[in-house]
Structures are given as structure tokens and as C-alpha cells.
Amino acid sequence: MKTYLIDVQGQVTPCCSRSHIAYRFFLPRPGGKLCVDFAYGPKNLEDREKAKTLIEESVGLYVEEEFQEQAKARWESHLPLKNLITVSVDAPDGHRGAAHRHDPEQHLVISRDEASPGLEHGELFKGLWEVTLSVHAIVTDGCAYSLQIWQEEGDA
């Protein structure tokens, strides 16, 4: 049996870059398997002129002045620019890890005996849990996401 805990959709914009969105939920019973489905899109910025502008702005911020013209000349080597949102999980007993990967669709699991890469397996305790979306970069005008979290019964 599945017990849905979170089912949300959201939208982030470039001003959300370098921020976090936390979702707290109460796990009603111990044990079983916690499942997290997360998806966002679009992944890539398809507008080459906007990408060039963003890359040149970044060169001005992060490259030493004497190397800026050389870096701007190679702007296409940084394509495609990508949105990046990652997921981390905290349990009542502490941090369970982070799935810091570029995949725009992820299915993550945690149970007593198994966990997706980046997450730690262990007992699933009843109580307040938190899933955090880390919005590293949004380079498109908007980026939609969906997050579903549920608990499955059993000792998976």
C-alpha cells in the first residue's frame, strides 16, 4: 500500500537561482520504503543569443580581466547552458544525503536496506522529514517542477 505524503508542482525563475525550497512532511509510521519522484524542465536553454549574453556576463564576474577576451571568444564551448535543481533528504534522526545529479527526472528510494546513490539507507522513523530542492541555476525564463513523495509498506 502506498501512502502519498507530498504531491506538488511549482515554477522557478532565474531569480530563484542559489536558493532552496524545503518541503516538510510527517511520516505516519516507521518502516517500509520512502519514494521520491522529482522532475523539472526544460533542462537546456535553447536560445543561443541569450546563452551568449549569460556566458559573457559570467566571464565578466568570474574570469580575471586579462583572460576575459579569450574566454568570451570560446563562449560556445560552454553550451548548452542547463538548469540545475538537486534533491536532498533529512530524516528526524539527521541528514540522509543528497542526490546531486543533473538528471531532470529522478526516482529516489530510502529503506532500511537500500538507498539510491547519494542517499543513506537505514531505519525509516516516524516523524517529521524534509526534502529540499536546491535551485543551483535557472537559465531559462521559467522552469517547472513536480515532486511526489510516498511511503510503501513492507521491509523493502
Side-chain angles (χ1 to χ4, degrees), residues 1-2 4 8 12 14 20 32 42 47 51 55 67 71 73 88 98 101 106 112-114 117 124 136 144-145 156:
M1 182 176 116
K2 289 182 176 181
Y4 282 90
V8 297
V12 288
H20 304 281
D47 182 335
I55 291 166
F67 301 112
S88 60
R101 52 185 69 111
Q106 299 180 31
R112 184 185 66 213
D113 300 322
E114 68 173 313
L124 294 187
H136 296 272
Y145 67 87

PDB file of all heavy atoms in Angstrom, residues 1-2 4 8 12 14 20 32 42 47 51 55 67 71 73 88 98 101 106 112-114 117 124 136 144-145 156:
ATOM      1  N   MET A   1       0.829  -1.186   0.000  1.00  0.00           N
ATOM      2  CA  MET A   1       0.000   0.000   0.000  1.00  0.00           C
ATOM      3  C   MET A   1       0.869   1.244   0.000  1.00  0.00           C
ATOM      4  O   MET A   1       1.851   1.327   0.714  1.00  0.00           O
ATOM      5  CB  MET A   1      -0.901   0.013   1.230  1.00  0.00           C
ATOM      6  CG  MET A   1      -1.837   1.194   1.270  1.00  0.00           C
ATOM      7  SD  MET A   1      -2.960   1.106   2.664  1.00  0.00           S
ATOM      8  CE  MET A   1      -2.451   2.537   3.557  1.00  0.00           C
ATOM      9  N   LYS A   2       0.491   2.214  -0.825  1.00  0.00           N
ATOM     10  CA  LYS A   2       1.196   3.490  -0.892  1.00  0.00           C
ATOM     11  C   LYS A   2       0.437   4.538  -0.090  1.00  0.00           C
ATOM     12  O   LYS A   2      -0.787   4.615  -0.184  1.00  0.00           O
ATOM     13  CB  LYS A   2       1.276   4.004  -2.331  1.00  0.00           C
ATOM     14  CG  LYS A   2       2.203   3.253  -3.234  1.00  0.00           C
ATOM     15  CD  LYS A   2       2.185   3.945  -4.610  1.00  0.00           C
ATOM     16  CE  LYS A   2       3.165   3.298  -5.547  1.00  0.00           C
ATOM     17  NZ  LYS A   2       3.156   3.972  -6.867  1.00  0.00           N
ATOM     18  N   TYR A   4       0.535   8.526   0.018  1.00  0.00           N
ATOM     19  CA  TYR A   4       1.118   9.742  -0.544  1.00  0.00           C
ATOM     20  C   TYR A   4       1.265  10.807   0.533  1.00  0.00           C
ATOM     21  O   TYR A   4       0.356  11.038   1.326  1.00  0.00           O
ATOM     22  CB  TYR A   4       0.272  10.252  -1.716  1.00  0.00           C
ATOM     23  CG  TYR A   4       0.535   9.461  -2.964  1.00  0.00           C
ATOM     24  CD1 TYR A   4      -0.213   8.331  -3.270  1.00  0.00           C
ATOM     25  CD2 TYR A   4       1.588   9.813  -3.806  1.00  0.00           C
ATOM     26  CE1 TYR A   4       0.066   7.581  -4.405  1.00  0.00           C
ATOM     27  CE2 TYR A   4       1.861   9.072  -4.937  1.00  0.00           C
ATOM     28  CZ  TYR A   4       1.094   7.953  -5.234  1.00  0.00           C
ATOM     29  OH  TYR A   4       1.387   7.219  -6.347  1.00  0.00           O
ATOM     30  N   VAL A   8       3.263  17.963  -5.257  1.00  0.00           N
ATOM     31  CA  VAL A   8       3.248  19.390  -5.569  1.00  0.00           C
ATOM     32  C   VAL A   8       3.854  19.646  -6.946  1.00  0.00           C
ATOM     33  O   VAL A   8       4.638  18.847  -7.463  1.00  0.00           O
ATOM     34  CB  VAL A   8       4.025  20.228  -4.522  1.00  0.00           C
ATOM     35  CG1 VAL A   8       3.383  20.128  -3.161  1.00  0.00           C
ATOM     36  CG2 VAL A   8       5.482  19.847  -4.477  1.00  0.00           C
ATOM     37  N   VAL A  12       9.953  27.875 -10.989  1.00  0.00           N
ATOM     38  CA  VAL A  12      11.038  28.736 -10.542  1.00  0.00           C
ATOM     39  C   VAL A  12      11.540  29.558 -11.730  1.00  0.00           C
ATOM     40  O   VAL A  12      11.367  29.157 -12.888  1.00  0.00           O
ATOM     41  CB  VAL A  12      12.196  27.934  -9.896  1.00  0.00           C
ATOM     42  CG1 VAL A  12      11.783  27.399  -8.537  1.00  0.00           C
ATOM     43  CG2 VAL A  12      12.654  26.799 -10.789  1.00  0.00           C
ATOM     44  N   PRO A  14      14.829  32.634 -13.000  1.00  0.00           N
ATOM     45  CA  PRO A  14      16.250  32.916 -12.732  1.00  0.00           C
ATOM     46  C   PRO A  14      16.512  33.560 -11.368  1.00  0.00           C
ATOM     47  O   PRO A  14      17.555  33.313 -10.763  1.00  0.00           O
ATOM     48  CB  PRO A  14      16.640  33.853 -13.883  1.00  0.00           C
ATOM     49  CG  PRO A  14      15.763  33.406 -15.009  1.00  0.00           C
ATOM     50  CD  PRO A  14      14.442  33.074 -14.355  1.00  0.00           C
ATOM     51  N   HIS A  20      16.921  27.624  -1.924  1.00  0.00           N
ATOM     52  CA  HIS A  20      16.422  26.302  -1.548  1.00  0.00           C
ATOM     53  C   HIS A  20      14.914  26.376  -1.318  1.00  0.00           C
ATOM     54  O   HIS A  20      14.411  27.373  -0.807  1.00  0.00           O
ATOM     55  CB  HIS A  20      17.097  25.800  -0.272  1.00  0.00           C
ATOM     56  CG  HIS A  20      18.584  25.764  -0.369  1.00  0.00           C
ATOM     57  ND1 HIS A  20      19.266  24.757  -1.013  1.00  0.00           N
ATOM     58  CD2 HIS A  20      19.522  26.628   0.067  1.00  0.00           C
ATOM     59  CE1 HIS A  20      20.554  25.001  -0.962  1.00  0.00           C
ATOM     60  NE2 HIS A  20      20.750  26.136  -0.304  1.00  0.00           N
ATOM     61  N   GLY A  32       9.162   0.324   6.025  1.00  0.00           N
ATOM     62  CA  GLY A  32       8.779   0.398   4.623  1.00  0.00           C
ATOM     63  C   GLY A  32       9.829   1.088   3.785  1.00  0.00           C
ATOM     64  O   GLY A  32      11.019   1.065   4.091  1.00  0.00           O
ATOM     65  N   PRO A  42      12.197  23.123 -18.652  1.00  0.00           N
ATOM     66  CA  PRO A  42      13.148  22.492 -19.554  1.00  0.00           C
ATOM     67  C   PRO A  42      14.512  22.357 -18.902  1.00  0.00           C
ATOM     68  O   PRO A  42      14.819  23.043 -17.931  1.00  0.00           O
ATOM     69  CB  PRO A  42      13.204  23.467 -20.729  1.00  0.00           C
ATOM     70  CG  PRO A  42      12.917  24.806 -20.114  1.00  0.00           C
ATOM     71  CD  PRO A  42      11.925  24.519 -19.024  1.00  0.00           C
ATOM     72  N   ASP A  47      18.004  29.171 -26.514  1.00  0.00           N
ATOM     73  CA  ASP A  47      18.235  30.483 -27.125  1.00  0.00           C
ATOM     74  C   ASP A  47      19.736  30.799 -27.090  1.00  0.00           C
ATOM     75  O   ASP A  47      20.288  31.176 -26.051  1.00  0.00           O
ATOM     76  CB  ASP A  47      17.427  31.532 -26.354  1.00  0.00           C
ATOM     77  CG  ASP A  47      17.549  32.930 -26.936  1.00  0.00           C
ATOM     78  OD1 ASP A  47      18.558  33.243 -27.612  1.00  0.00           O
ATOM     79  OD2 ASP A  47      16.631  33.724 -26.695  1.00  0.00           O
ATOM     80  N   ALA A  51      22.074  32.670 -24.300  1.00  0.00           N
ATOM     81  CA  ALA A  51      23.173  31.906 -23.701  1.00  0.00           C
ATOM     82  C   ALA A  51      24.484  32.678 -23.815  1.00  0.00           C
ATOM     83  O   ALA A  51      25.256  32.757 -22.847  1.00  0.00           O
ATOM     84  CB  ALA A  51      23.281  30.537 -24.371  1.00  0.00           C
ATOM     85  N   ILE A  55      26.769  33.874 -20.683  1.00  0.00           N
ATOM     86  CA  ILE A  55      28.166  33.416 -20.576  1.00  0.00           C
ATOM     87  C   ILE A  55      29.102  34.623 -20.491  1.00  0.00           C
ATOM     88  O   ILE A  55      30.019  34.652 -19.656  1.00  0.00           O
ATOM     89  CB  ILE A  55      28.522  32.506 -21.761  1.00  0.00           C
ATOM     90  CG1 ILE A  55      27.745  31.188 -21.640  1.00  0.00           C
ATOM     91  CG2 ILE A  55      30.028  32.250 -21.822  1.00  0.00           C
ATOM     92  CD1 ILE A  55      27.746  30.344 -22.898  1.00  0.00           C
ATOM     93  N   PHE A  67      42.214  37.568 -18.954  1.00  0.00           N
ATOM     94  CA  PHE A  67      41.808  36.376 -19.713  1.00  0.00           C
ATOM     95  C   PHE A  67      40.368  36.464 -20.244  1.00  0.00           C
ATOM     96  O   PHE A  67      39.874  35.533 -20.868  1.00  0.00           O
ATOM     97  CB  PHE A  67      41.943  35.120 -18.846  1.00  0.00           C
ATOM     98  CG  PHE A  67      43.339  34.880 -18.351  1.00  0.00           C
ATOM     99  CD1 PHE A  67      43.642  35.003 -17.011  1.00  0.00           C
ATOM    100  CD2 PHE A  67      44.343  34.540 -19.238  1.00  0.00           C
ATOM    101  CE1 PHE A  67      44.922  34.793 -16.540  1.00  0.00           C
ATOM    102  CE2 PHE A  67      45.645  34.334 -18.785  1.00  0.00           C
ATOM    103  CZ  PHE A  67      45.940  34.458 -17.427  1.00  0.00           C
ATOM    104  N   ALA A  71      38.318  34.122 -23.031  1.00  0.00           N
ATOM    105  CA  ALA A  71      37.181  33.319 -22.553  1.00  0.00           C
ATOM    106  C   ALA A  71      35.910  33.640 -23.337  1.00  0.00           C
ATOM    107  O   ALA A  71      35.139  32.736 -23.676  1.00  0.00           O
ATOM    108  CB  ALA A  71      36.964  33.554 -21.060  1.00  0.00           C
ATOM    109  N   ALA A  73      35.734  34.630 -26.397  1.00  0.00           N
ATOM    110  CA  ALA A  73      35.878  34.080 -27.751  1.00  0.00           C
ATOM    111  C   ALA A  73      35.492  32.600 -27.798  1.00  0.00           C
ATOM    112  O   ALA A  73      35.109  32.092 -28.849  1.00  0.00           O
ATOM    113  CB  ALA A  73      37.300  34.279 -28.250  1.00  0.00           C
ATOM    114  N   SER A  88      17.822  16.850  -1.722  1.00  0.00           N
ATOM    115  CA  SER A  88      18.435  16.261  -0.532  1.00  0.00           C
ATOM    116  C   SER A  88      17.318  15.874   0.441  1.00  0.00           C
ATOM    117  O   SER A  88      16.205  16.391   0.363  1.00  0.00           O
ATOM    118  CB  SER A  88      19.439  17.207   0.127  1.00  0.00           C
ATOM    119  OG  SER A  88      18.816  18.390   0.532  1.00  0.00           O
ATOM    120  N   ALA A  98      22.193  13.525  -0.306  1.00  0.00           N
ATOM    121  CA  ALA A  98      21.799  14.406  -1.396  1.00  0.00           C
ATOM    122  C   ALA A  98      21.997  13.694  -2.720  1.00  0.00           C
ATOM    123  O   ALA A  98      22.993  12.995  -2.907  1.00  0.00           O
ATOM    124  CB  ALA A  98      22.614  15.691  -1.356  1.00  0.00           C
ATOM    125  N   ARG A 101      22.762  15.401  -8.850  1.00  0.00           N
ATOM    126  CA  ARG A 101      22.999  14.930 -10.207  1.00  0.00           C
ATOM    127  C   ARG A 101      22.223  15.798 -11.183  1.00  0.00           C
ATOM    128  O   ARG A 101      21.311  16.506 -10.800  1.00  0.00           O
ATOM    129  CB  ARG A 101      22.621  13.456 -10.329  1.00  0.00           C
ATOM    130  CG  ARG A 101      21.222  13.137  -9.826  1.00  0.00           C
ATOM    131  CD  ARG A 101      20.948  11.648  -9.862  1.00  0.00           C
ATOM    132  NE  ARG A 101      21.721  10.924  -8.906  1.00  0.00           N
ATOM    133  CZ  ARG A 101      21.229  10.313  -7.826  1.00  0.00           C
ATOM    134  NH1 ARG A 101      19.935  10.317  -7.619  1.00  0.00           N
ATOM    135  NH2 ARG A 101      21.999   9.686  -6.990  1.00  0.00           N
ATOM    136  N   GLN A 106      14.124  12.063 -11.663  1.00  0.00           N
ATOM    137  CA  GLN A 106      14.776  11.169 -10.704  1.00  0.00           C
ATOM    138  C   GLN A 106      13.732  10.400  -9.900  1.00  0.00           C
ATOM    139  O   GLN A 106      12.714  10.958  -9.498  1.00  0.00           O
ATOM    140  CB  GLN A 106      15.633  11.982  -9.721  1.00  0.00           C
ATOM    141  CG  GLN A 106      16.725  12.766 -10.397  1.00  0.00           C
ATOM    142  CD  GLN A 106      17.547  13.564  -9.400  1.00  0.00           C
ATOM    143  OE1 GLN A 106      17.723  13.154  -8.255  1.00  0.00           O
ATOM    144  NE2 GLN A 106      18.040  14.705  -9.843  1.00  0.00           N
ATOM    145  N   ARG A 112      15.308   0.560   4.948  1.00  0.00           N
ATOM    146  CA  ARG A 112      16.275   0.055   5.932  1.00  0.00           C
ATOM    147  C   ARG A 112      17.503  -0.551   5.240  1.00  0.00           C
ATOM    148  O   ARG A 112      18.624  -0.375   5.677  1.00  0.00           O
ATOM    149  CB  ARG A 112      15.610  -0.993   6.814  1.00  0.00           C
ATOM    150  CG  ARG A 112      16.531  -1.499   7.920  1.00  0.00           C
ATOM    151  CD  ARG A 112      15.922  -2.619   8.706  1.00  0.00           C
ATOM    152  NE  ARG A 112      15.776  -3.768   7.812  1.00  0.00           N
ATOM    153  CZ  ARG A 112      14.801  -4.651   7.872  1.00  0.00           C
ATOM    154  NH1 ARG A 112      13.874  -4.553   8.776  1.00  0.00           N
ATOM    155  NH2 ARG A 112      14.749  -5.648   7.025  1.00  0.00           N
ATOM    156  N   ASP A 113      17.292  -1.226   4.098  1.00  0.00           N
ATOM    157  CA  ASP A 113      18.376  -1.986   3.477  1.00  0.00           C
ATOM    158  C   ASP A 113      18.907  -1.423   2.173  1.00  0.00           C
ATOM    159  O   ASP A 113      19.891  -1.940   1.652  1.00  0.00           O
ATOM    160  CB  ASP A 113      17.893  -3.417   3.222  1.00  0.00           C
ATOM    161  CG  ASP A 113      17.492  -4.117   4.513  1.00  0.00           C
ATOM    162  OD1 ASP A 113      18.175  -3.899   5.541  1.00  0.00           O
ATOM    163  OD2 ASP A 113      16.487  -4.841   4.500  1.00  0.00           O
ATOM    164  N   GLU A 114      18.259  -0.414   1.617  1.00  0.00           N
ATOM    165  CA  GLU A 114      18.733   0.122   0.334  1.00  0.00           C
ATOM    166  C   GLU A 114      18.475   1.617   0.257  1.00  0.00           C
ATOM    167  O   GLU A 114      17.627   2.157   0.960  1.00  0.00           O
ATOM    168  CB  GLU A 114      18.046  -0.578  -0.846  1.00  0.00           C
ATOM    169  CG  GLU A 114      16.567  -0.255  -0.943  1.00  0.00           C
ATOM    170  CD  GLU A 114      15.910  -0.789  -2.192  1.00  0.00           C
ATOM    171  OE1 GLU A 114      16.459  -0.608  -3.288  1.00  0.00           O
ATOM    172  OE2 GLU A 114      14.824  -1.375  -2.064  1.00  0.00           O
ATOM    173  N   PRO A 117      21.813   6.100  -4.982  1.00  0.00           N
ATOM    174  CA  PRO A 117      23.140   6.717  -4.834  1.00  0.00           C
ATOM    175  C   PRO A 117      23.042   8.150  -4.300  1.00  0.00           C
ATOM    176  O   PRO A 117      22.201   8.934  -4.742  1.00  0.00           O
ATOM    177  CB  PRO A 117      23.683   6.700  -6.273  1.00  0.00           C
ATOM    178  CG  PRO A 117      23.002   5.530  -6.911  1.00  0.00           C
ATOM    179  CD  PRO A 117      21.614   5.518  -6.311  1.00  0.00           C
ATOM    180  N   LEU A 124      13.530   3.769   8.750  1.00  0.00           N
ATOM    181  CA  LEU A 124      12.653   4.911   8.465  1.00  0.00           C
ATOM    182  C   LEU A 124      11.845   5.181   9.725  1.00  0.00           C
ATOM    183  O   LEU A 124      11.002   4.378  10.112  1.00  0.00           O
ATOM    184  CB  LEU A 124      11.721   4.614   7.294  1.00  0.00           C
ATOM    185  CG  LEU A 124      12.359   4.419   5.936  1.00  0.00           C
ATOM    186  CD1 LEU A 124      11.293   4.297   4.859  1.00  0.00           C
ATOM    187  CD2 LEU A 124      13.328   5.529   5.593  1.00  0.00           C
ATOM    188  N   HIS A 136      20.184  25.427  -7.975  1.00  0.00           N
ATOM    189  CA  HIS A 136      21.544  25.918  -8.243  1.00  0.00           C
ATOM    190  C   HIS A 136      21.543  26.988  -9.328  1.00  0.00           C
ATOM    191  O   HIS A 136      22.168  28.038  -9.158  1.00  0.00           O
ATOM    192  CB  HIS A 136      22.442  24.751  -8.666  1.00  0.00           C
ATOM    193  CG  HIS A 136      22.620  23.741  -7.600  1.00  0.00           C
ATOM    194  ND1 HIS A 136      23.601  23.814  -6.652  1.00  0.00           N
ATOM    195  CD2 HIS A 136      21.906  22.632  -7.311  1.00  0.00           C
ATOM    196  CE1 HIS A 136      23.507  22.780  -5.825  1.00  0.00           C
ATOM    197  NE2 HIS A 136      22.478  22.049  -6.205  1.00  0.00           N
ATOM    198  N   ALA A 144       9.557  24.526 -14.707  1.00  0.00           N
ATOM    199  CA  ALA A 144       8.507  23.876 -13.917  1.00  0.00           C
ATOM    200  C   ALA A 144       9.069  22.623 -13.252  1.00  0.00           C
ATOM    201  O   ALA A 144       9.949  21.955 -13.802  1.00  0.00           O
ATOM    202  CB  ALA A 144       7.343  23.503 -14.819  1.00  0.00           C
ATOM    203  N   TYR A 145       8.560  22.308 -12.059  1.00  0.00           N
ATOM    204  CA  TYR A 145       8.981  21.069 -11.405  1.00  0.00           C
ATOM    205  C   TYR A 145       7.782  20.381 -10.770  1.00  0.00           C
ATOM    206  O   TYR A 145       6.743  21.002 -10.528  1.00  0.00           O
ATOM    207  CB  TYR A 145      10.073  21.317 -10.350  1.00  0.00           C
ATOM    208  CG  TYR A 145       9.634  22.103  -9.148  1.00  0.00           C
ATOM    209  CD1 TYR A 145       9.055  21.463  -8.043  1.00  0.00           C
ATOM    210  CD2 TYR A 145       9.790  23.473  -9.088  1.00  0.00           C
ATOM    211  CE1 TYR A 145       8.653  22.178  -6.925  1.00  0.00           C
ATOM    212  CE2 TYR A 145       9.390  24.196  -7.979  1.00  0.00           C
ATOM    213  CZ  TYR A 145       8.825  23.551  -6.899  1.00  0.00           C
ATOM    214  OH  TYR A 145       8.429  24.263  -5.803  1.00  0.00           O
ATOM    215  N   ALA A 156      11.032  -3.308   2.394  1.00  0.00           N
ATOM    216  CA  ALA A 156      11.737  -3.214   1.117  1.00  0.00           C
ATOM    217  C   ALA A 156      13.190  -2.898   1.273  1.00  0.00           C
ATOM    218  O   ALA A 156      13.686  -2.353   2.146  1.00  0.00           O
ATOM    219  CB  ALA A 156      11.090  -2.165   0.243  1.00  0.00           C
TER     220      ALA A 156
END
